[in-house]
Each structure stands twice: as C-alpha cells, then as structure tokens.
Amino acid sequence: DAKTTQPTSMDCAEGRAANLPCNHSTISGNEYVYWYRQIHSQGPQYIIHGLKNNETNEMASLIITEDRKSSTLILPHATLRDTAVYYCIVRPPGTYKYIFGTGTRLKVLA
Amino acid sequence: EAGVVQSPRYKIIEKKQPVAFWCNPISGHNTLYWYLQNLGQGPELLIRYENEEAVDDSQLPKDRFSAERLKGVDSTLKIQPAELGDSAVYLCASSLGPGDTQYFGPGTRLTVL
C-alpha cells in the first residue's frame, strides 16, 4: 500500500487559502487519493477524493500532480471552523483499506 | 440524511469491567467498519462487515474483543475485560460497499481507570 507524508502542522490566516500538501511518491496508477479531516472530538469527515484529474466540490479543491506523486488540498477561504487534523489517504480501487497517518494539524488564525 | 450514529459518546469504566459500544450506520450502507484511534494517531481498522458477515477481523484482538452485526444493520463492539491500554476512541464508519467512500460516526471515547 502506498504511504503518504504530510507536514505535522500548518497555520493559515482566516480568509486566506489553506494549501495542504501530501506526498505519495509510491502511488500506483489505479490508487485513489482521499482527504478527510477530523475536528476535535469528532469523527473523520470526508472532504474529497480523486484519481488523476483535479477535483472540486463545495468544501475544497484537490490538485494532483501529473506524475501523481503528490497532491494538494486547497481550502479557498479558510475559517476558524476549518481548524482540524487533515488526513491524506491513498486507497487501491475496489478495496476498503484506509491507512491513516498522523495527518496535518491545521490551525486557522483570526 | 442522518449520519452514522454511535452511543455512548463517552464511557468511563474500571479495568476488568466489560463495555459495549453501539453503532447504527447510514441507511442502505451494507459495509460497516470499526476503528480504534489512540491519542495523537490516525484511526486503525479493527473489523469490517459486509452485511452481517465479518469479512476482515484480522486486526481485532480476539481474546478480549468481540463484535456482531445482527440483521446486517446495527453493530455492537464489546470488550471483556477492559484493560488500561484500551483507553481510546472507538469509531464506527459505513459505506455503500467495500470500495466506496466511508462515512464516520462521532466515536465513543473510552477511559479505563
């Protein structure tokens, strides 16, 4: 299973874009990239996922490099409620295995 | 649409006591998962159900942990007897099928004294 590497922590000013990187250099061609976040005392919340193309939904955008070895989750206008631990997960298709790392602790500052 | 429901949200017990956690998945989701999350770590899968069948319980410590999913809907995870090291958050998740996006409940925070 592909491993992911994320920075331990990041700060972002409220109202600015938060760009959270993830390295998955051993990813194989058919493995999906998933992003979840976990706000204190809550369960992980699904944000977005993608395979090759960039993806956008109401919560965030996912940018995957052409070689697929890394990706960036973008929260376009961070708010204080976006303070959370963000997990990047690589999952083979048709499988259920989510392997969580320790994630990136994002702190949005007023 | 209601999300994954778990109860209780918090539980404090003394070591050697039994404890049980309950999970109600999203309606129509056939796959149910139990995860363990230690402080400062990401969740780790304990067991996965497809309908009422436990299809992957390789990470479940079977000497003290047990789980069931009668009728393929609600599920219960039990620990008997609990040990100090079992203090953690126990998360339940569900998905339409094994390859689909997983949705998590709020978790049960267990403290063993």
Side-chain angles (χ1 to χ4, degrees):
Chain A
D1 299 329
K3 303 291 186 190
T4 62
T5 304
Q6 300 177 252
T8 303
S9 64
M10 293 180 63
D11 290 341
C12 177
E14 188 177 22
R16 303 297 294 270
N19 297 285
L20 292 93
C22 180
N23 181 284
H24 31 78
S25 58
T26 61
I27 195 170
S28 63
N30 57 0
E31 289 183 310
Y32 286 84
V33 179
Y34 277 74
W35 283 83
Y36 281 75
R37 73 181 183 183
Q38 190 169 23
I39 296 170
H40 184 60
S41 296
Q42 298 183 23
Q45 177 190 21
Y46 167 76
I47 301 174
I48 198 167
H49 74 280
L51 182 62
K52 295 181 180 178
N53 299 319
N54 298 337
E55 303 287 344
T56 296
N57 63 21
E58 65 278 5
M59 289 183 69
S61 294
L62 174 60
I63 308 298
I64 303 175
T65 58
E66 192 170 342
D67 64 7
R68 303 207 332 115
K69 293 182 183 298
S70 66
S71 61
T72 301
L73 179 74
I74 301 173
L75 308 178
H77 305 287
T79 71
L80 298 178
R81 289 177 293 181
D82 292 322
T83 293
V85 177
Y86 287 77
Y87 294 101
C88 169
I89 302 163
V90 172
R91 182 180 71 82
T95 73
Y96 57 89
K97 272 197 155 185
Y98 281 11
I99 300 177
F100 288 82
T102 52
T104 295
R105 186 171 298 276
L106 174 69
K107 187 173 182 180
V108 180
L109 306 172
Chain B
E1 180 184 285
V4 176
V5 179
Q6 290 188 248
S7 70
R9 289 296 315 278
Y10 304 91
K11 188 74 176 179
I12 301 174
I13 60 172
E14 295 195 344
K15 63 182 181 182
K16 301 185 181 179
Q17 294 300 305
V19 65
F21 314 123
W22 176 81
C23 172
N24 179 248
I26 293 172
S27 178
H29 282 197
N30 297 319
T31 308
L32 184 145
Y33 316 76
W34 283 102
Y35 286 83
L36 165 70
Q37 185 172 26
N38 288 306
L39 187 64
Q41 304 295 316
E44 300 172 30
L45 181 69
L46 288 173
I47 188 169
R48 173 175 71 98
Y49 280 90
E50 291 299 331
N51 299 303
E52 63 274 8
E53 182 181 359
V55 293
D56 183 359
D57 61 357
S58 58
Q59 302 304 311
L60 190 72
K62 298 181 184 62
D63 56 336
R64 297 183 300 105
F65 286 66
S66 64
E68 61 183 12
R69 191 184 183 197
L70 301 176
K71 301 181 181 179
V73 181
D74 295 359
S75 178
T76 302
L77 178 68
K78 298 178 181 177
I79 308 174
Q80 183 171 13
E83 297 179 351
L84 295 176
D86 297 330
S87 293
V89 175
Y90 292 82
L91 293 159
C92 179
S94 70
S95 64
L96 282 170
D100 296 308
T101 300
Q102 298 180 27
Y103 296 91
F104 287 79
T108 296
R109 181 176 297 276
L110 173 67
T111 301
V112 182
L113 303 175

